[in-house]
Amino acid sequence: MTAPPQPKPCYLSRRRRLLAQLHHPLLLFSGGEVPRNAPSTAYPFRADSNFLYFFGPCEPDCAAFLDPDNARISFFAPQRTPQNTLWTGPQPSFETLKQSLGVDEVLEWEGLEGHIPRLGGGRPLESLAIADERTTQRARKLTGQEMSFGKPGRRGPPALLRALANMRLCKEADEIEEISSAVRITQEAHLAAMRHTRPGLFEYEVYAHLLAVFARHACQEAYSTILSVRGEVLHNPHRGNRLEGGELLLVDAGAEGPHGYAADLTRTWPVSGKFSAEAKAIYEVVLLANQRCIEAVRPGIRFRALQRLASQVLAEGLAGVGLLRGRTEDILASGALSVFFPHGIGHLLGLDVHDLEGFEEALSEASPGPAEGMAPPPLRMDITLKEGMVFTLEPGIYLIPSRIGSAELQKSFGEFVNFEEAGRYVQMNGGRGFGGIRIEDNVLCTPTHAEVLTAAMPKQPAEIEALVGAAL
Ligand code: GLY
Ligand code: MN
């Protein structure tokens, strides 16, 4: 008989560090399968990220009881029944699981409620809300505490949220390797999509090339891929347009590796393989904002300073192409840039593509108000960079018909935005519009600078032009 695999040391050390910070027993849940339509048809299972952080990949319906008083961990997993084996195949025995996870005991998930009084001994019990609402409901009943996955800062007890956020904020070496591995596969997928782009294809045909690379590496999408000539729709879920010569294709896609870590990469390229003069001018503005932000990264810089820097470069560049007018400081103070750049400059990256989303209150030194001297475009987070943080930098410019045609925005920002010129862009490509340009890289903050994990993915216009359609 072969010996069970040994637990990865990183999981053991994380659990030790967590146990040392707990004041009460903690019950963590992996989450269960979530029905997609009929009860027996589920979405692909993906464990909660905090569970993945401490235990690694697991089957649905697992839980872990962590006891700070004796540093013991009781793990719960579903019963091994012939019926379960019939549908999902054999699973490791509880004894194998105990050894491979490095926990003190493995008990039946089905008997969880019966074990809690014995394990808890009347002490207060803590837990966390997770995306699977049925499991969260179970956590509420067991702990007697209100908690909500969707409400920022309400996922669980504040001290616990702070402990988890602080542990997950700066990445350990093996986490950086996991993210880098997802990045390598993501870059290969983007290259495949770029090389298979030509006018006449449908977006979903290009998407198939990207997905094939993920599948070939046993990865899933870390989030629903955005692949659209309507890139001005920020999270465009549709992939049904036929590609036309003058259009720009925006692809925002990232692989999720086997341990749950994500990449999040965006490139924008011309369907024809050649940027129009207008597209190239705006592309270069976005590229400059991307590069300037990367150059500014070092420990001690606050995220709002990167937002401010990107906004300044974008505002100056858009004034240069005639879409904005006035002094840069006035444009930024007015909020007019948000007509073309209506989102934050980036977000943390890790087990979640928007890593630690929902933990902002536990992380932020102050609530993410506007960057200095700026009317608010939204800051996704506002924290000071530290060595080991991995995050995205993703400036973009979007020619959004509903914003450019908005009487309200025209009234508010007519002094700074050349709406007439913007209207010309919206009418380009036979009235289909200009679209949007986003350039997103994944960056690690080192002691001195940014290491661009996505550096191998071309972003210079000439490099892109050489690749588009090269496989066809
Ligand atoms: N990848 C999509 C986003 O960052 O919102
Ligand atoms: Mn992103």
Side-chain angles (χ1 to χ4, degrees):
M1 218 176 73
T2 53
Q6 292 303 297
K8 269 176 80 173
C10 64
Y11 297 125
L12 298 176
S13 112
R14 287 173 199 164
R15 284 181 232 154
R16 266 196 303 273
R17 281 184 282 137
L18 177 64
L19 277 164
Q21 297 178 69
L22 294 179
H23 298 292
H24 304 294
L26 172 65
L27 187 58
L28 289 178
F29 290 95
S30 70
E33 288 189 316
V34 176
R36 184 177 178 276
N37 45 345
S40 59
T41 314
Y43 284 107
F45 171 69
R46 203 267 187 187
D48 175 69
S49 293
N50 288 303
F51 204 86
L52 285 175
Y53 185 73
F54 292 107
F55 295 97
C58 65
E59 55 195 292
D61 293 330
C62 289
F65 183 96
L66 296 95
D67 191 332
D69 289 357
N70 55 20
R72 277 176 63 85
I73 296 178
S74 305
F75 196 89
F76 293 84
Q79 279 174 354
R80 276 49 181 137
T81 63
Q83 189 67 3
N84 288 350
T85 305
L86 176 67
W87 288 98
T88 51
Q91 294 287 5
S93 71
F94 279 10
E95 185 52 35
T96 302
L97 213 49
K98 178 180 152 186
Q99 290 184 43
S100 64
L101 289 167
V103 294
D104 296 286
E105 61 180 346
V106 177
L107 303 165
E108 286 181 355
W109 158 260
E110 290 78 0
L112 177 66
E113 274 77 2
H115 285 288
I116 293 299
R118 175 180 63 80
L119 291 169
R123 291 170 295 170
L125 178 63
E126 295 189 338
S127 189
L128 279 181
I130 62 172
D132 166 18
E133 181 50 32
R134 286 194 300 188
T135 300
T136 296
Q137 192 51 33
R138 203 165 177 183
R140 286 191 198 102
K141 278 210 183 112
L142 277 162
T143 60
Q145 301 200 342
E146 264 317 304
M147 53 187 104
S148 170
F149 182 71
K151 296 195 184 132
R154 298 278 311 282
R155 288 220 185 146
L160 175 64
L161 299 187
R162 268 196 303 280
L164 293 170
N166 284 327
M167 288 184 75
R168 287 177 52 190
L169 179 61
C170 296
K171 276 31 184 190
E172 299 161 5
D174 58 312
E175 293 187 283
I176 293 168
E177 186 39 48
E178 291 285 347
I179 297 169
S180 301
S181 163
V183 160
R184 282 191 289 277
I185 293 155
T186 299
Q187 290 176 151
E188 187 184 331
H190 273 250
L191 278 173
M194 208 178 254
R195 290 162 56 82
H196 284 90
T197 296
R198 68 166 160 76
L201 293 178
F202 284 92
E203 290 163 346
Y204 51 75
E205 294 178 272
V206 180
Y207 177 54
H209 289 284
L210 184 131
L211 272 192
V213 176
F214 287 180
R216 210 161 45 237
H217 291 280
C219 286
Q220 335 195 20
E221 296 168 281
Y223 52 94
S224 189
T225 293
I226 300 158
L227 187 153
S228 183
V229 290
R230 299 275 58 83
E232 75 276 19
V233 180
L234 299 180
H235 278 178
N236 198 332
H238 306 293
R239 303 182 202 105
N241 292 305
R242 191 193 278 272
L243 309 182
E244 305 266 353
E247 292 175 319
L248 293 165
L249 183 63
L250 185 152
V251 178
D252 181 344
E256 176 179 303
H259 294 90
Y261 286 85
D264 182 7
L265 177 62
T266 307
R267 290 290 184 264
T268 309
W269 57 85
V271 167
S272 68
K274 187 91 189 124
F275 283 98
S276 69
E278 285 95 343
K280 191 164 178 189
I282 293 189
Y283 187 93
E284 283 179 340
V285 171
V286 179
L287 184 57
L288 188 63
N290 165 287
Q291 289 167 327
R292 283 278 168 78
C293 285
I294 288 171
E295 284 159 19
V297 167
R298 61 181 174 280
I301 292 280
R302 202 158 162 173
F303 229 76
R304 67 171 62 191
L306 297 175
Q307 180 86 24
R308 163 87 199 184
L309 178 59
S311 299
Q312 190 173 330
V313 175
L314 295 175
E316 284 168 1
L318 287 182
V321 300
L323 284 164
L324 288 174
R325 55 192 165 213
R327 289 180 349 135
T328 304
E329 304 86 87
D330 298 338
I331 293 171
L332 296 184
S334 73
L337 180 64
S338 70
V339 172
F340 303 109
F341 177 43
H343 62 68
I345 183 62
H347 51 83
L348 294 169
L349 181 67
L351 279 165
D352 291 311
V353 63
H354 290 185
D355 207 36
L356 295 173
E357 196 172 82
F359 288 74
E360 289 86 352
E361 284 178 29
L363 279 175
S364 286
E365 291 121 47
S367 61
E372 222 165 288
M374 284 179 67
L379 265 180
R380 284 172 171 166
M381 60 166 186
D382 187 23
I383 53 179
T384 301
L385 297 188
K386 289 188 190 148
E387 180 186 350
M389 280 173 49
V390 178
F391 52 95
T392 69
L393 289 171
E394 48 182 305
I397 294 290
Y398 311 89
L399 277 292
I400 306 167
S402 62
R403 288 177 86 72
I404 289 160
S406 153
E408 199 185 324
L409 292 180
Q410 288 177 9
K411 188 158 166 261
S412 303
F413 301 130
E415 184 184 346
F416 300 109
V417 175
N418 186 342
F419 281 100
E420 202 177 310
E421 178 67 351
R424 190 175 72 78
Y425 279 71
V426 167
Q427 287 310 315
M428 279 177 183
N429 298 313
R432 289 189 304 283
F434 177 88
I437 295 176
R438 180 163 63 249
I439 305 174
E440 177 178 30
D441 282 304
N442 300 167
V443 157
L444 164 69
C445 183
T446 75
T448 51
H449 65 285
E451 182 183 332
V452 182
L453 304 178
T454 43
M457 187 66 208
K459 59 184 174 185
Q460 295 298 332
E463 295 173 311
I464 288 178
E465 288 180 344
L467 282 162
V468 174
L472 298 165

